[in-house]
């Protein structure tokens, strides 16, 4: 315990340094902004920030990116409540009761409980990271290539299972991501693959053009098709302090939502979208007045909002301890670590303690800053919603182009981004989820390297993959996941919104 | 046709890339070569595409309407998509040649005047303001390096 406090003290000494504090503020400010504005999700925004943060010191760069990620969860709820349109896919459930509360003149308490619930859940989630991550990282050091292969397979299957929509399409998307990850020099022998004689492709497909195209450009194209005008809540937002009754109704929901969100966030594929749905159905199931859900009950806002915020903290655990990204947004964070020459995973805590503890403690500070940003300044964020989309989309496209270009100062990357934008748009139109593609792309090289290492070390014996108890457990879980659809045939699968906007 | 086209395209990609992977050399299980991993990924993609094709052929058009997003592509949609793609590609090509500021202005004007059909004066005005703001933010404040181009800025 003494060690923990010493580590936290060290972390705060890093994260409260003026430049890191400024980075944290910038991250949560931008995150809230893009969360409020429908049309640019945290995945695309973090990818856009990737080239800008290259020149920054690694800790500040990761702090700013993480700030965008969890800041967007706060901002997303504002749009859900005032506009009946989720700013982020993770805030879809908040529209059900949040907008009804706004219509009844209770937009203030709804926004306030969102902010407080997010703050409490976010802080509890970070406390969970603080307590669990060091122990898990210690265990993860002992994981060899065959166990990692099994865990990665399980992660991919979970992502396919929970990405929303058809599983075969999600599998095709993931396989396409793997295939794209093989472009460039092979990770073991450095033989060029699929470069077609070009220098650009010899370096592999760039992460920024891929993600910005797949999420940013396709989002603009989809939004341009929507002709409906957004109806912004016009009433005055008052009562930004929940009543004692509001607190009594919301507190248990916030507690349950925090726990559900944190543990679901750890699982690959859940992202920040599934936990709010689970929290909402849990609240409705245990409520004494389930029929009231959907008419403006505060528990229906508090639980899901707590869940999506603690899920962001939970999803950091696989990244910080195993180097595995459980969602598309965390995959961008992985890219940020790698861009700065830092390998996320079990050795992060010992090799780069300043980054690990600095980022973890910045999340405490970030949650406090978000509370200040979201409560007194809620009127400013609401006014942002009145900016017509026709003035925003060319700017978003320009930022996308700048983001794609400035990673390696190569105009070909802008063209590649346009191609991936077209691919992303087509995939969304045809209901092929993008998140499995991005995750497979990011983890593909690691997966290939570990598969080949395992085969070489075991001299071609496939038994090596099941020789270790952890690997065996992961394979059993994978088999259950694969067979699950056969046992549930005929029952409709739960439908979650696609992960694109996560 | 619409139902079968996407998995058929994926199948074609997997066959083509699988062939390239095979040419790279698969090696053996105890010594996998550079083509080993992509080849098996292509095999998996081909199998998934075939499954999706079979499922599409078996399902009725009503099933399709319930599983896919209704009217998928429209002519107006195509025009808009390809205009945006053309504009973005134009920005990429112009960056090296004309420099950041001019490329940004042309790109913004293209978006607002050609795609969004704003009035000429308003389109040019907001393009100029947006380009100047982007230049101030990215080049001056964030110090991102862009080509200077023929105009020198």
């Amino acid at each position: 315990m003494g060690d923990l406090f010493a580590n936290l003290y060290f972390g705060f000494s890093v994260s409260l340094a003026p430049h890191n504090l400024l980075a944290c503020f910038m991250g949560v400010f931008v995150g809230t902004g893009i969360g409020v504005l429908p049309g640019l999700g945290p995945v695309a925004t973090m990818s856009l920030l990737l080239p800008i943060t290259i020149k920054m010191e690694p800790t500040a760069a990761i702090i700013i990116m993480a700030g965008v990620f969890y800041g967007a969860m706060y901002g997303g709820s504002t749009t859900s409540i005032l506009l009946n349109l989720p700013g982020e896919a993770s805030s879809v459930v908040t529209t059900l009761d949040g907008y009804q509360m706004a219509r009844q003149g209770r937009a203030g308490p709804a926004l306030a409980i969102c902010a407080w619930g997010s703050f409490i859940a976010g802080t509890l989630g970070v406390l969970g990271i603080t307590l669990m991550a060091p122990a898990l990282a210690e265990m993860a050091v002992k994981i060899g290539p065959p166990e990692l292969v099994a865990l990665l397979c399980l992660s991919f299957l979970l992502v396919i299972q929970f990405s929303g929509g058809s599983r075969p399409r999600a599998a095709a998307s993931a396989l396409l991501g793997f295939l794209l990850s093989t472009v460039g020099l092979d990770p073991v022998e450095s033989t060029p693959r699929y470069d077609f004689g070009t220098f650009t492709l010899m370096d592999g497909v760039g992460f920024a053009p891929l993600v910005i195209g797949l999420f940013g450009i396709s989002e603009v194209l989809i939004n341009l098709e929507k002709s409906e005008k957004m109806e912004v809540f016009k009433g005055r937002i008052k009562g930004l302090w929940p009543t004692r009754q509001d607190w009594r109704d919301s507190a248990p929901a916030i507690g349950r939502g925090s726990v559900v969100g944190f543990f679901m966030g750890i699982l690959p594929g859940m992202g920040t979208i599934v936990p709010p749905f689970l929290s909402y159905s849990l609240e409705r199931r245990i409520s004494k007045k389930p029929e009231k859900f959907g008419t403006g009950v505060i528990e229906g806002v508090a639980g899901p909002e707590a869940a999506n915020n603690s899920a962001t903290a939970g999803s950091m655990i696989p990244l910080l301890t195993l180097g595995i990204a459980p969602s598309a947004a965390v995959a961008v964070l992985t890219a940020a670590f790698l861009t700065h020459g830092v390998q996320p995973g079990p050795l992060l805590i010992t090799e780069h303690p300043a980054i690990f503890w600095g980022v973890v403690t910045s999340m405490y500070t970030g949650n406090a800053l978000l509370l200040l940003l979201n409560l007194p300044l809620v009127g400013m964020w609401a006014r942002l919603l009145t900016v017509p989309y026709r003035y925003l989309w060319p700017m978003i496209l320009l930022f996308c182009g700048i983001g794609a270009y400035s990673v390696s100062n190569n105009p070909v990357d802008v063209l590649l981004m346009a191609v991936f934008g077209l691919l992303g748009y087509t995939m969304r139109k045809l209901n092929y989820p993008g998140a499995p593609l991005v995750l497979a792309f990011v983890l593909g090289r690691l997966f290939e390297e570990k598969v080949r290492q395992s085969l070489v070390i075991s001299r071609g014996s496939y038994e090596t993959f099941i020789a270790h108890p952890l690997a065996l457990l992961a394979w059993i879980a994978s088999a259950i996941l694969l067979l699950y659809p056969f046992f549930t045939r005929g029952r409709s699968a739960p439908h979650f919104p696609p992960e694109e906007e996560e | 046709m619409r139902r079968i086209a996407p998995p058929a395209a994926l199948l074609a990609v997997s066959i083509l890339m699988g062939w390239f992977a095979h040419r790279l050399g698969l090696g053996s299980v105890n010594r996998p070569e550079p083509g080993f991993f992509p080849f098996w990924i292509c095999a998996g993609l081909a199998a998934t595409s075939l499954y999706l094709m079979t499922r599409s052929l078996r399902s009725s058009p009503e099933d399709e309407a319930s599983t896919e997003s209704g009217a998928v592509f429209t002519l107006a949609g195509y025009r808009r998509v390809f205009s945006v793609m053309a504009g973005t590609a134009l920005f990429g090509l112009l960056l090296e040649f004309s420099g950041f500021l001019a490329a940004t202005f042309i790109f913004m004007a293209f978006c607002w005047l050609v795609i969004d059909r704003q009035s000429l004066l308003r389109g040019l005005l907001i393009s100029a303001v947006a380009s100047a703001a982007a230049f101030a933010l990215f080049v001056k404040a964030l110090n991102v390096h862009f080509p200077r181009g023929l105009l020198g800025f």
Side-chain angles (χ1 to χ4, degrees):
Chain A
M1 205 63 177
D3 268 1
L4 182 71
F5 284 115
N7 288 330
L8 280 176
Y9 178 77
F10 171 63
F12 276 116
S13 70
V14 174
S15 64
L16 292 177
H19 63 289
N20 287 333
L21 195 59
L22 182 68
C24 185
F25 176 77
M26 290 300 293
V28 295
F29 185 83
V30 173
T32 308
I34 58 114
V36 168
L37 285 173
L40 193 64
V43 179
T45 310
M46 287 160 74
S47 316
L48 293 178
L49 284 175
L50 200 56
I52 296 166
T53 57
I54 281 176
K55 286 179 198 157
M56 292 169 81
E57 187 254 327
T59 312
I62 309 292
I63 285 175
I64 203 168
M65 305 276 272
V68 173
F69 179 32
Y70 57 82
M73 301 302 132
Y74 276 69
S77 56
T78 306
T79 327
S80 295
I81 292 165
L82 300 180
L83 211 68
N84 198 25
L85 185 76
E88 299 309 324
S90 54
S91 305
V92 169
V93 190
T94 312
T95 56
L96 301 176
D97 283 284
Y99 186 65
Q100 290 304 324
M101 284 182 73
R103 287 186 65 185
Q104 293 158 15
R106 288 181 28 88
L111 288 164
I113 215 68
C114 273
W116 278 106
S118 301
F119 171 71
I120 295 166
T123 310
L124 288 175
V126 182
L127 190 67
I129 300 182
T130 314
L131 295 171
M132 285 173 69
L136 284 172
E138 214 167 289
M139 280 164 63
V141 177
K142 294 166 192 151
I143 290 177
E147 291 105 306
L148 199 59
V149 168
L151 284 173
L152 283 168
C153 266
L154 177 63
S155 306
F156 294 130
L157 284 173
L158 278 164
V159 170
I160 289 165
Q161 178 77 20
F162 294 105
S163 59
S166 145
R167 281 180 284 258
R169 286 179 192 160
S173 175
L175 287 163
L176 201 59
F178 275 125
L179 198 54
L180 285 167
S181 78
T182 62
V183 176
L185 298 178
D186 132 61
V188 179
E189 295 171 25
S190 296
T191 309
R193 297 186 297 199
Y194 303 129
D195 64 337
F196 304 106
T198 60
F199 281 113
T200 304
L201 289 179
M202 200 183 276
D203 275 345
V205 173
F207 179 79
L210 178 98
V211 179
I212 296 171
L214 218 53
F215 291 96
I217 302 280
S218 71
E219 186 72 32
V220 170
L221 292 173
I222 294 279
N223 281 322
L224 280 175
E225 284 179 358
K226 296 177 187 160
S227 53
E228 71 260 32
K229 271 188 83 176
M230 292 189 282
E231 287 298 327
V232 183
F233 172 80
K234 293 282 191 334
R236 209 172 143 256
I237 301 164
K238 53 188 179 190
L240 276 171
W241 189 261
T243 61
R244 197 169 284 190
Q245 186 59 43
D246 287 337
W247 273 115
R248 260 201 294 272
D249 292 338
S250 315
I254 291 172
R256 285 187 289 267
S258 305
V259 175
V260 167
F262 182 75
F263 287 103
M264 297 308 280
I266 295 175
L267 294 176
M270 293 292 172
T272 53
I273 297 171
V274 184
F277 278 89
L278 293 178
S279 165
Y280 189 80
S281 47
L282 174 72
E283 289 309 318
R284 194 164 56 179
R285 191 160 292 180
I286 62 174
S287 170
K288 286 178 187 151
K289 40 178 185 174
E291 71 285 353
K292 295 265 183 198
F293 273 72
T295 61
V297 270
I298 204 157
E299 303 95 294
V301 175
E305 277 302 313
N308 74 26
N309 277 276
S310 60
T312 57
S315 64
M316 299 288 277
I317 289 203
L319 173 72
L320 296 174
T321 58
L322 288 168
I324 294 176
S327 68
V330 182
V332 187
L333 267 180
T334 313
F337 273 104
L338 297 175
T339 308
H340 286 278
V342 179
Q343 177 70 50
L347 296 176
L348 181 71
I349 200 163
T350 46
E351 286 179 357
H352 301 280
I355 295 180
F356 181 92
W357 290 108
V359 171
V360 169
T361 52
S362 79
M363 291 169 77
Y364 286 105
T365 322
N367 275 301
L369 286 172
L370 279 165
L371 194 64
L372 293 175
L373 270 177
N374 279 268
L375 280 182
L377 297 181
V378 72
M380 181 190 88
W381 299 117
R383 268 198 297 279
L384 194 62
L385 289 171
T386 56
V387 178
Y389 191 69
R390 61 186 311 198
Y391 293 114
L392 288 178
W393 72 264
M395 295 300 291
I396 297 174
L397 276 185
L398 175 69
F399 290 168
C400 288
I402 292 169
Y405 175 82
S406 45
V407 174
S408 47
N409 289 349
N410 187 352
V412 179
D413 282 341
V414 182
L415 303 181
L416 269 178
M417 175 197 74
V419 172
F420 285 121
L422 193 60
L423 176 72
Y425 171 77
T426 314
M427 284 174 67
R428 290 179 74 168
K429 284 293 212 178
L430 297 168
N431 294 340
Y432 281 73
L437 190 154
V438 173
L439 289 176
F441 177 78
V442 171
L443 297 173
R445 289 181 81 79
L446 177 72
F447 185 63
E448 178 182 2
E449 198 183 311
K450 297 301 168 193
V451 168
R452 287 172 69 177
Q453 272 178 6
S454 307
L455 288 172
V456 170
I457 293 167
S458 67
R459 295 186 183 168
S461 165
Y462 287 114
E463 277 174 28
T464 186
F465 292 113
I466 51 166
H468 305 271
L470 181 66
L472 190 63
L473 202 68
W475 288 119
I476 292 170
S478 302
I480 293 171
L481 265 178
L482 272 176
L483 296 173
Y484 174 77
F486 296 102
F487 294 117
T488 55
R489 189 164 278 180
R491 275 185 247 163
S492 61
H495 183 77
F496 303 111
E499 293 235 352
E500 262 69 0
E501 294 143 38
E502 192 197 345
Chain B
M1 184 60 198
R2 199 183 80 201
R3 289 176 291 163
I4 208 166
L10 282 175
L11 182 65
V13 167
S14 60
I15 291 171
L16 185 72
M17 301 302 254
W19 179 70
F20 278 124
H22 191 264
R23 274 184 32 173
L24 279 166
L26 304 184
S28 58
V29 181
N30 55 358
R31 194 171 164 72
E33 284 185 13
F36 180 85
F37 186 75
F39 179 81
W40 288 109
I41 291 297
C42 288
L45 187 59
T48 313
S49 314
L50 281 171
Y51 172 77
L52 282 166
M53 280 169 78
T54 320
R55 209 176 63 164
S56 301
L57 287 172
R58 277 190 194 160
S59 65
S60 61
E62 291 80 40
D63 287 342
E64 184 199 356
S66 65
T67 54
E68 292 187 357
S69 42
V72 175
F73 299 104
T74 59
L75 190 62
Y78 270 127
R79 271 201 210 116
R80 199 167 25 232
V81 167
F82 285 102
S83 306
V84 170
M85 291 297 109
T88 314
L90 183 75
F91 175 69
L93 294 171
L94 279 176
L95 258 178
E96 293 276 296
F97 173 73
S98 63
F100 177 74
L101 195 58
T104 304
F105 177 76
I106 294 168
F107 174 64
M108 294 275 103
F110 180 82
C111 288
W112 273 309
L113 294 174
V114 180
I115 305 175
D116 200 44
R117 310 270 165 104
Q118 298 259 5
S119 69
L120 183 68
L121 189 65
R122 180 190 276 195
L124 290 176
L125 193 70
I126 51 178
S127 301
V129 173
S131 317
F135 185 78
L137 176 68
F138 290 102
V139 180
K140 295 291 174 194
L142 296 172
N143 207 16
V144 180
H145 289 288
F146 287 105
R148 288 177 174 268
L150 291 176
L151 303 172
F153 52 82

